[in-house]
Amino acid sequence: MALSMQRIPLAKMACEETGMGVVEDKVIKNNFACEYILNKYRYTKTCGIMSQDRPNGNTVLAEPLGVVAAIIPTTNPTSTAIFKILLCLKTRNGIFLSPHPRAKKCTCYTAELCLRAAVAAGAPANIVGWIDEPSVALSQRLMAHKHVSLILATGGPSMVKAAYQSGNPAIGVGAGNCPSVIDETADVEMAVASVITSKTFDNGMICASEQTIVVVDAVYDQVQQELRKRGCHICTPEEKKKLAAVILLPSKTPNPKVVGQSAAKILEMAGVKSHRDTRVIIAECTTPGEPFSLEKLCPSLGMFRVASFHDAVDTAVACLEHVGLGHTAALYTHPQNTDRIDHFAHKVPTGRILVNCPSAQGGIGDIYNFCLAPSLTLGCGSWGGNAVSENLGPRHLLNYKTVAERRENMLWLQQPKRVYFKYGCTHTALTSELRGKKRALIVTDKPLHDLGFSQRIQQSLKSVGVESEVFYDVEPDPSFDTVFAGLKAIRLFQPDVIIALGGGSPMDAAKIMWLFYEFPDYEGKLDQLCARFLDIRKRIYQLPTNASRKAQLICIPTSSGTGSEVTPFAVITDKKDQVKYPITDYALTPDMAICDPQLTLTMPRSMVSATGLDVLTHAIESYVSTLATPFTMSYSKQAIEMTCKYLERSYVNGGKDQEARENMHYAATIAGIAFANAFLGVCHSVAHKLGSAFHIPHGIANAIMLPHVILYNSSTVYTHAMSQERYCEIADLIGVGQGKKPTEKVMALAQHIDTMKTVLNVPLSIKAWGVPEDQFLAKLDELAELAFDDQCTGTNPRYPLIAEIKELLLDGYYGTLGKRTLNTLDHTFVDPSA
């Protein structure tokens, strides 16, 4: 209020001292700096807690910067001082002003008024300071002072540059050179009146004011006539030449002698006769970069004539490229021309793009658009070499502290819409689900087809009128070549149901066939499809999730191992580099799974052991995964318990033990639900690479490596030994941990798995499987690096180094259970009960 009451005396002081501008307009600027800034930010919170989200553990606190050094220009010596002081007081910052030497009295007096009023209101003494006798040297010394936290540099290019070179943080402004486009649909009277209102305000000293008008040919004469009618002087070529020599210095910067002077005075200085009431000097231009198309800071304009709207935009951009990038541009057009407004906004490189507004009053904000923040410091962004591209406000004068409490991201439990299970359920599930479908393509392998499995599915389909075909060329460890062969068959048959029948290989192949059938564009994006990610919710490359579907995907497992019937995973081999790629996305989750134990009765013993140990690995790794939750862990524990109870029976008794086969089949699917949501660990990472390199069956590779990985993960080198605790829980669950210390329980679990492998006739080492030592050692480094980069590694409870994976591989090759791992890590085991 104290400053508002002094708005007229301060305006008079500014005009008298600087010899520039218009008293009445400076009164308005002073009032704007007091009234509009207060109105905008009166209730803006600038201290303490700015925002708080308790459930997500996020709190943002605001703190002052410290002391702000404020460079005050001669063009706005009182209003800019008021503006910067009010912002600093609002944000609890101290401020020290450096006035322009030609405006020191009015700026210092303004600062003194502000200080008195602030202290009277309870502010600390000396919260506002200033340089009484300013100079370039003192300004530079102030800007470089060690106690200055920020510089607000409003002034000429040399002063702004000095601020940025001071060594302290700075917010500067760029040169203005606002081009104003008037197209053939504009309200010409309103456009011309707005331009003149803007350009004559304070004799053109506001940096956002127009410097050129670019007019479309269809209304050029009308605009020129309107300009003459409103008191503008349109120069002859000779007058233009005289005026150009007066208005700009040889450096093409504004001549200080004409800045803020009236049009009549400038014409007189150039020796051009004109009416004493001339309001604006207009010079017709043809080339961006000529004197009248540059910033002039006086009531003068360049005027371009162009053929079309698009030419006008290009000309405006060209003018800005000479000077004024990032500042302000204006467009006069019909308000409903949203396409033109959008084109102008996208093409023109300025921070403020004003539509049908006088640019001087429009650019400073809150007059012609209440959402544009009021400000007397207008940032020009990187276009103009500034730190900000918007109108300066309190938020730019605060430090923000973000208090981030530990919170875990939302987790999930996803699985197929329906999972059918029970002995002999296949026919009922298919006939109840697929009634009304037209065509189904069955994806399987040749052995299963030859054994009649696919024909049984076809009979069920036929009973509900569904035509079917069979693609039975899926090989073990399916390749992209097989996927594309099956895709060709699918596209020829055009099914509305795809049924995967078999073990993991047919199901994995069918998932990718289905994906490419639904979304052909992804067929050529294998590198993105196989891309790794840290968090499936944030992956760089995302698969589609839209509901429009050509075909339903149904998985019917005939072995009890992979769990692929309920997972979002598919493992496909690239034959070119012989690498298995685990592809993961919830888009790959089947629509339906049918778990019929009847289909597993004829499984050979070798398959029972390999797939059963794969189930155990799925269950254990998902139980200790970094993404394990109470939801997934219940599935994992159930699968572990069932596997340890029924796997050996299923192996020894064969299909005669229907109970064992049935429970192992369910265990595989239950473990699949667990790791579909919790994911796996480094055991699978290594197994994938061993399978690719040496063709070790996936379940066997997992079984060989699992005990070594358990011991590796059980180290408590990290502060929280969650994985060790969970391995102990597993040991207790299966009855091998009673009465033992944690380290003993972990070792007992690893040894129990080796005992199971012995019963199941599975070798205890890679070497025992038959991989020659020289071949293994030759590939060791490559295997370790590939396993490190495997998708499963990210959720292992202990994030491994490549060298550590190499040690694990060596343990796995020689079967040295615990020797290599425990010898180096045993000292880190902690017994919580000790």
Side-chain angles (χ1 to χ4, degrees):
M1 182 59 72
L3 293 166
S4 181
M5 297 295 290
Q6 294 294 317
R7 62 190 181 278
I8 295 177
L10 290 175
K12 287 181 177 179
M13 284 183 68
C15 284
E16 289 170 5
E17 186 175 9
T18 65
M20 297 186 294
V22 179
V23 169
E24 293 81 357
D25 293 341
K26 288 191 182 296
V27 171
I28 293 173
K29 288 201 287 187
N30 290 336
N31 224 15
F32 175 88
C34 297
E35 182 179 313
Y36 278 65
I37 302 305
L38 177 65
N39 177 71
K40 176 69 175 179
Y41 299 117
R42 185 196 302 264
Y43 302 111
T44 299
K45 189 172 178 61
T46 56
C47 62
I49 296 174
M50 303 296 287
S51 64
Q52 191 166 45
D53 182 354
R54 281 292 188 196
N56 290 310
N58 189 271
T59 303
V60 177
L61 306 170
E63 296 284 350
L65 300 177
V67 176
V68 174
I71 308 302
I72 308 300
T74 185
T75 51
N76 300 296
T78 56
S79 55
T80 298
I82 294 169
F83 166 71
K84 291 183 177 180
I85 291 170
L86 287 181
L87 285 191
C88 285
L89 291 174
K90 176 64 177 175
T91 51
R92 299 183 296 157
N93 290 298
I95 183 170
F96 208 95
L97 281 70
S98 176
H100 192 282
R102 287 173 55 191
K104 62 182 179 182
K105 291 181 181 178
C106 60
T107 299
C108 291
Y109 182 62
T110 301
E112 187 178 352
L113 288 174
C114 288
L115 177 61
R116 283 188 215 152
V119 171
N126 302 318
I127 190 74
V128 180
W130 57 89
I131 299 175
D132 292 304
E133 294 296 332
S135 65
V136 172
L138 281 176
S139 293
Q140 291 177 336
R141 189 172 175 184
L142 170 65
M143 291 189 292
H145 198 282
K146 65 180 181 179
H147 292 311
V148 166
S149 299
L150 179 72
I151 303 163
L152 292 181
T154 308
S158 59
M159 187 59 72
V160 173
K161 184 177 180 181
Y164 280 123
Q165 292 177 339
S166 68
N168 282 322
I171 296 177
V173 297
N177 188 30
C178 175
S180 188
V181 169
I182 303 175
D183 76 5
E184 72 278 12
T185 71
D187 181 334
V188 170
E189 287 189 12
M190 183 271 287
V192 171
S194 296
V195 169
I196 293 173
T197 297
S198 171
K199 196 59 195 170
T200 57
F201 187 79
D202 206 22
N203 281 340
M205 283 196 296
I206 289 186
C207 55
S209 66
E210 297 86 348
Q211 303 300 325
T212 55
I213 49 176
V214 185
V215 186
V216 172
D217 181 71
V219 292
Y220 186 87
D221 293 339
Q222 184 184 353
V223 169
Q224 199 172 74
Q225 181 181 353
E226 193 68 26
L227 288 167
R228 284 196 175 99
K229 187 174 80 173
R230 293 177 181 272
C232 297
H233 177 88
I234 298 177
C235 302
T236 65
E238 185 177 340
E239 291 172 341
K240 175 184 173 183
K241 187 175 181 180
K242 288 181 180 179
L243 284 160
V246 170
I247 289 174
L248 295 182
L249 298 175
S251 62
K252 293 190 175 181
T253 56
N255 181 356
K257 293 180 181 179
V258 304
V259 171
Q261 305 305 312
S262 67
K265 184 174 181 179
I266 295 169
L267 288 166
E268 183 182 342
M269 291 169 64
V272 175
K273 292 184 179 180
S274 175
H275 194 279
R276 65 184 180 88
D277 293 330
T278 296
R279 304 181 70 190
V280 181
I281 301 165
I282 309 287
E284 294 180 288
C285 299
T286 57
T287 307
E290 61 178 277
F292 270 88
S293 72
L294 305 175
E295 184 181 36
K296 299 170 285 294
L297 295 180
C298 64
S300 64
L301 287 167
M303 184 174 181
F304 286 88
R305 183 175 201 150
V306 294
S308 67
F309 166 73
H310 286 88
D311 289 339
V313 176
D314 291 343
T315 301
V317 172
C319 289
L320 289 165
E321 287 173 345
H322 283 278
V323 66
L325 282 171
H327 206 291
T328 306
L331 169 65
Y332 291 92
T333 188
H334 193 284
Q336 294 181 355
N337 287 341
T338 54
D339 57 336
R340 290 194 171 190
I341 295 170
D342 290 345
H343 178 78
F344 191 76
H346 283 97
K347 287 279 287 185
V348 176
T350 60
R352 282 149 296 278
I353 294 169
L354 309 172
V355 180
N356 296 323
C357 303
S359 67
Q361 295 87 342
I364 62 175
D366 207 18
I367 297 176
Y368 288 93
N369 185 294
F370 305 129
C371 293
L372 183 60
S375 181
L376 293 177
T377 298
L378 312 184
C380 299
S382 61
W383 299 296
N386 297 164
V388 298
S389 58
E390 56 194 344
N391 289 7
L392 187 79
R395 71 189 191 90
H396 300 105
L397 303 186
L398 291 168
N399 282 322
Y400 295 93
K401 296 177 179 178
T402 300
V403 181
E405 302 172 41
R406 179 166 178 162
R407 293 290 189 275
E408 293 185 5
N409 205 340
M410 180 190 71
L411 296 172
W412 58 86
L413 188 72
Q414 300 196 42
Q415 54 186 298
K417 294 176 183 177
R418 281 174 293 284
V419 179
Y420 288 93
F421 59 96
K422 212 59 185 171
Y423 189 89
C425 68
T426 302
H427 177 77
T428 303
L430 288 173
T431 54
S432 62
E433 282 286 338
L434 301 186
R435 196 175 298 275
K437 295 292 185 181
K438 295 179 180 179
R439 288 181 295 277
L441 188 129
I442 301 166
V443 178
T444 188
D445 57 40
K446 194 170 189 307
L448 285 174
H449 181 68
D450 291 344
L451 289 170
F453 279 76
S454 54
Q455 291 84 341
R456 287 157 59 184
I457 302 298
Q458 286 184 293
Q459 288 172 5
S460 295
L461 296 171
K462 186 177 181 181
S463 70
V464 288
V466 179
E467 184 184 352
S468 63
E469 285 189 0
V470 181
F471 176 83
Y472 54 81
D473 291 334
V474 178
E475 78 275 37
D477 298 330
S479 66
F480 282 110
D481 294 343
T482 300
V483 168
F484 291 128
L487 181 62
K488 183 177 180 181
I490 289 173
R491 286 174 175 163
L492 286 172
F493 188 54
Q494 293 288 303
D496 51 3
V497 180
I498 295 174
I499 299 173
L501 175 67
S505 294
M507 289 190 283
D508 288 358
K511 287 179 181 181
I512 307 304
M513 293 176 194
W514 168 86
L515 177 68
F516 291 162
Y517 177 51
E518 293 282 344
F519 307 101
D521 290 347
Y522 290 81
E523 188 178 339
K525 300 176 180 178
L526 297 182
D527 52 342
Q528 293 103 317
L529 192 63
C530 299
R532 309 290 185 267
F533 55 84
L534 290 176
D535 188 328
I536 194 169
R537 297 159 296 191
K538 302 171 185 176
R539 61 186 303 173
I540 297 170
Y541 185 76
Q542 296 190 346
L543 297 184
T545 56
N546 56 299
S548 177
R549 303 283 287 270
K550 296 177 188 176
Q552 186 178 3
L553 179 62
I554 298 173
C555 287
I556 307 174
T558 61
S559 62
S560 306
T562 67
S564 188
E565 66 274 9
V566 291
T567 73
F569 308 119
V571 180
I572 307 295
T573 300
D574 187 342
K575 285 186 175 180
K576 294 178 183 177
D577 54 15
Q578 284 300 306
V579 173
K580 285 187 176 183
Y581 288 100
I583 301 168
T584 307
D585 197 281
Y586 284 108
L588 298 177
T589 304
D591 299 293
M592 185 172 82
I594 301 174
C595 302
D596 184 351
Q598 185 180 17
L599 302 177
T600 69
L601 296 183
T602 58
M603 280 174 59
R605 282 187 169 187
S606 59
M607 184 179 290
V608 170
S609 59
T611 58
L613 289 168
D614 196 20
V615 173
L616 184 62
T617 308
H618 291 159
I620 291 177
E621 286 212 289
S622 61
Y623 192 71
V624 301
S625 161
T626 57
L627 290 180
T629 69
F631 290 87
T632 64
M633 290 167 70
S634 61
Y635 283 99
S636 301
K637 287 176 74 172
Q638 183 65 35
I640 291 167
E641 191 171 19
M642 293 171 75
T643 303
C644 289
K645 182 177 180 179
Y646 292 107
L647 176 53
E648 292 181 15
R649 278 177 52 182
S650 178
Y651 177 80
V652 173
N653 300 333
K656 295 181 295 183
D657 194 339
Q658 184 176 316
E659 181 188 21
R661 288 290 170 101
E662 183 169 358
N663 279 279
M664 277 307 304
H665 205 46
Y666 297 159
T669 300
I670 291 168
I673 294 172
F675 83 83
N677 295 278
F679 298 168
L680 296 164
V682 75
C683 184
H684 267 76
S685 302
V686 172
H688 289 147
K689 309 317 168 190
L690 289 173
S692 296
F694 305 116
H695 305 290
I696 303 174
H698 180 64
I700 301 298
N702 270 324
I704 292 172
M705 294 305 305
L706 182 58
H708 306 288
V709 170
I710 288 172
L711 297 181
Y712 170 77
N713 286 339
S714 295
S715 165
T716 56
V717 288
Y718 300 124
T719 55
H720 191 52
M722 182 64 73
S723 57
Q724 187 192 91
E725 294 174 18
R726 290 183 182 172
Y727 286 132
C728 290
E729 290 169 7
I730 295 170
D732 290 338
L733 177 69
I734 62 175
V736 298
Q738 288 79 358
K740 296 182 174 68
K741 294 180 180 180
T743 54
E744 295 169 343
K745 289 183 180 184
V746 173
M747 180 57 77
L749 174 61
Q751 290 172 339
H752 180 74
I753 293 168
D754 271 355
T755 301
M756 288 180 68
K757 290 189 296 189
T758 301
V759 174
L760 299 172
N761 199 29
V762 172
L764 301 183
S765 68
I766 300 168
K767 184 176 183 180
W769 178 259
V771 176
E773 185 174 30
D774 58 339
Q775 293 183 23
F776 176 80
L777 294 176
K779 292 190 174 184
L780 179 59
D781 289 337
E782 180 185 6
L783 287 171
E785 185 170 332
L786 289 172
F788 172 79
D789 195 41
D790 189 272
Q791 187 59 67
C792 296
T793 301
T795 47
N796 194 67
R798 178 180 173 186
Y799 198 72
L801 301 176
I802 294 173
E804 292 172 335
I805 297 176
K806 186 176 175 180
E807 293 294 305
L808 279 172
L809 280 162
L810 288 168
D811 278 345
Y813 184 80
Y814 295 109
T816 51
L817 182 59
K819 291 181 181 178
R820 197 177 297 270
T821 308
L822 290 181
N823 284 347
T824 57
L825 301 175
D826 190 51
H827 68 282
T828 64
F829 280 88
V830 176
D831 183 352
S833 64

